[in-house]
Amino acid sequence: MEESLNIGVLISGRGSNLQAIIDGIEQGKVAAKISLVVSNNPDAYGLERARKHGIPAVVVDHRMYSTRQEFETVVIERLNEKGVELVVLAGFMRVLTEHFLKAFPLRVINIHPALLPSFPGVGVQAKAVDYGVRFSGCTVHFVNEGVDTGPIIAQAVVPVYPTDTGEILADRILKMEHQIYPKVIHWIAERRVRVEGRRVFVEGAKMDEEIAHIEPVA
Ligand code: GRF
């Protein structure tokens, strides 16, 4: 495998995406090394996951800082100490400002549980069900100053069924999150991802011939 990319993963909670990335690395499918996990929440279960796999994990509790900038400065320092090249947001519930993004230009990615630009923000799986869309999914994107507005790297689509609740749909989407996030990190590690304005190109990506999906099937 080629030289591995040094990544830092920022979490706030459960950390199931962190786990998917750890598993991908351990299985040799992702050419990356998690140099540090940072949680703003001391009770995040993801911290345990990191420790179980011998990955350094620290808490930077945002409540200890009076401004966003002070909080971010500490996170930047921790990441830089470990030589982090790519910052991976995995259920990280703080909005990052320009101050942070300038420290890692086009080097911060996020996963969002909807098909952006539809349903940015939080609680979006239930919003998709309530809206009545027939498809939803997840989006991996570069982070910019907006909320869930950065250039899109990859998306996965799932159907929304009449019997769905927000939780049922969230589970269906989460399975796809766990598939696409490790893949994207691997593409970035392989230096195959290029950004031109809002458009992101993945070198060597195949074009799927099967282009039409209809829902409901009736
Ligand atoms: C995921 O649904 C992700 O899309 C969103 O926050 C959730 C994090 O889940 N940004 P986990 O902590 O990775 O389990």
Side-chain angles (χ1 to χ4, degrees):
M1 192 170 281
E2 55 287 308
E3 207 188 309
S4 81
L5 181 75
N6 241 333
I7 67 172
V9 183
L10 272 51
I11 60 167
S12 298
R14 179 178 60 178
S16 70
N17 278 289
L18 167 65
Q19 188 68 55
I21 297 162
I22 293 172
D23 294 345
I25 292 171
E26 290 185 352
Q27 290 160 15
K29 292 179 188 160
V30 181
K33 175 185 177 219
I34 305 178
S35 305
L36 187 65
V37 169
V38 181
S39 174
N40 67 305
N41 168 13
D43 301 321
Y45 180 63
L47 289 165
E48 315 248 321
R49 297 184 192 265
R51 287 175 191 138
K52 256 185 226 161
H53 291 264
I55 297 166
V58 296
V59 175
V60 183
D61 188 339
H62 62 281
R63 294 168 301 185
M64 307 290 282
Y65 304 90
S66 46
T67 64
R68 274 184 198 275
Q69 188 147 339
E70 282 171 48
F71 163 69
E72 289 179 356
T73 298
V74 176
V75 178
I76 293 166
E77 274 169 20
R78 295 280 169 282
L79 295 168
N80 280 337
E81 278 161 16
K82 295 283 184 183
V84 164
E85 298 165 279
L86 178 74
V87 179
V88 175
L89 309 185
F92 182 67
M93 299 307 284
R94 310 293 302 166
V95 173
L96 293 170
T97 72
E98 213 188 327
H99 174 62
F100 187 94
L101 298 174
K102 270 193 181 144
F104 296 97
L106 275 185
R107 290 275 128 194
V108 184
I109 61 173
N110 182 45
I111 188 149
H112 180 76
L115 291 177
L116 292 171
S118 292
F119 307 111
V122 294
V124 297
Q125 300 96 332
K127 284 178 190 162
V129 170
D130 292 345
Y131 194 95
V133 292
R134 296 296 189 183
F135 292 99
S136 189
C138 48
T139 303
V140 180
H141 63 92
F142 285 106
V143 176
N144 65 9
E145 285 85 38
V147 175
D148 304 321
T149 54
I152 292 169
I153 308 168
Q155 295 186 304
V157 178
V158 304
V160 181
Y161 296 127
T163 46
D164 278 354
T165 59
E167 287 87 58
I168 294 171
L169 178 61
D171 282 348
R172 192 175 304 125
I173 292 172
L174 196 63
K175 291 199 180 82
M176 298 313 299
E177 294 184 33
H178 297 163
Q179 289 194 36
I180 70 170
Y181 217 7
K183 266 191 212 294
V184 168
I185 293 166
H186 184 61
W187 298 338
I188 294 174
E190 289 185 308
R191 318 269 176 228
R192 289 169 60 194
V193 177
R194 177 171 51 88
V195 188
E196 278 179 31
R198 280 214 55 88
R199 297 188 74 192
V200 178
F201 298 88
V202 179
E203 211 181 284
K206 293 185 203 83
M207 299 208 226
D208 190 354
E209 294 297 318
E210 198 186 309
I211 52 168
H213 302 277
I214 299 171
E215 183 65 35
V217 178

